[in-house]
Amino acid sequence: MPSASSSSLPQSQAAELLAIARAIGVEAGSLIAHRRAEGVTIAASKSAPEDVVTFADRESEDFIRARLAELRPEDGFLGEESTGTATPGTSGIVWVVDPIDGTVNYLYDIPAYAVSIAAVAVTPGDPIDAEHWQALAGVVVNPVLGEVFSASLGGGAHLGDRRLHANTGVELSQALVGTGFAYSAELRVKQAAVVQGLVARVRDIRRAGSAALDLCSVAAGRLDAYGERGLNAWDHAAGALIAREAGARVSGFEGAAESAIMTFAAAPDLADQLEPLFFELHKAAGLPL
């Protein structure tokens, strides 16, 4: 992972990137909310029939990409609907975008979906993933509730103007834990086995349907912890920074960076108790580690 000092962009400019992400995220949030009010049309399925793409997903990503190209033409771009293939750019900055995180919620008009935009510093030639990038700014916008979560590197995490802090001093038995499930039915069965082993050890489980919002919920103290397998870079890029800046530890298993194998977030004292349990339950369920 490149350090802020080794990035081609000084850390002091993270606030500028955050302002751009916030402005575009709010605009895109208004767009998708307007389209939802008009009625949702499915454009395609991806990994499974349950994994849908709406026309609003594509319109939102096209809008975000066009606005970023106007303001930051030398930056790269990685978006969910752009076939998951990154355009590296020449500045060392890549924008990692999920135009609607929680598309199934969006389809059913469940008010837990969001626009997620992150700016990350990447060394040229390196893969664009959390192991190799330094997240500089991130915004997650829930347009239904009018909530704007944001963070910049070293600048703290905020909900609107309110500073966020992850819950500390939580015992494992009292932890409210968020998670999610894959689109693959075969994988969901194994994930259900993990939840079965977990639910008796913690306060309760929540499954909201948006990884970005779940990570922000850890930052805001609405969840004590969150762990999910199968996330893509655009699912966690902004939310992970927001959770970290609120004091949470965000990682994969055994100190690895967050990835499709595992994205885990909790305050360090709870993470020390919960992460090993997650690991053992995934191992017992036969999930690759």
Side-chain angles (χ1 to χ4, degrees), residues 153-195:
L153 182 64
H158 296 82
L159 171 53
D161 295 327
R162 177 168 66 90
R163 184 73 178 258
L164 299 179
H165 301 279
N167 294 336
T168 59
V170 179
E171 291 297 321
L172 179 64
S173 64
Q174 297 301 303
L176 184 63
V177 182
T179 193
F181 297 94
Y183 289 108
S184 161
E186 180 180 356
L187 183 53
R188 281 202 305 270
V189 169
K190 294 182 179 181
Q191 290 173 314
V194 172
V195 171

Side-chain angles (χ1 to χ4, degrees), residues 7-26:
S7 167
S8 61
L9 187 78
Q11 181 178 343
S12 61
Q13 293 188 35
E16 176 186 344
L17 294 172
L18 179 59
I20 291 171
R22 183 186 291 112
I24 296 175
V26 169

Side-chain angles (χ1 to χ4, degrees), residues 119-145:
V120 304
V122 181
T123 301
D126 277 355
I128 301 174
D129 58 34
E131 183 179 354
H132 297 91
W133 74 40
Q134 174 68 72
L136 300 175
V139 169
V140 175
V141 178
N142 180 336
V144 182
L145 300 182

Side-chain angles (χ1 to χ4, degrees), residues 17 20-21 24 61-78 94-97 117-119:
L17 294 172
I20 291 171
I24 296 175
E61 182 162 314
D62 289 345
F63 169 80
I64 294 167
R65 187 167 194 165
R67 291 283 284 119
L68 288 170
E70 292 173 5
L71 297 171
R72 303 273 309 181
E74 296 181 353
D75 293 351
F77 186 88
L78 174 61
V94 176
W95 294 88
V96 185
V97 171
I117 302 175

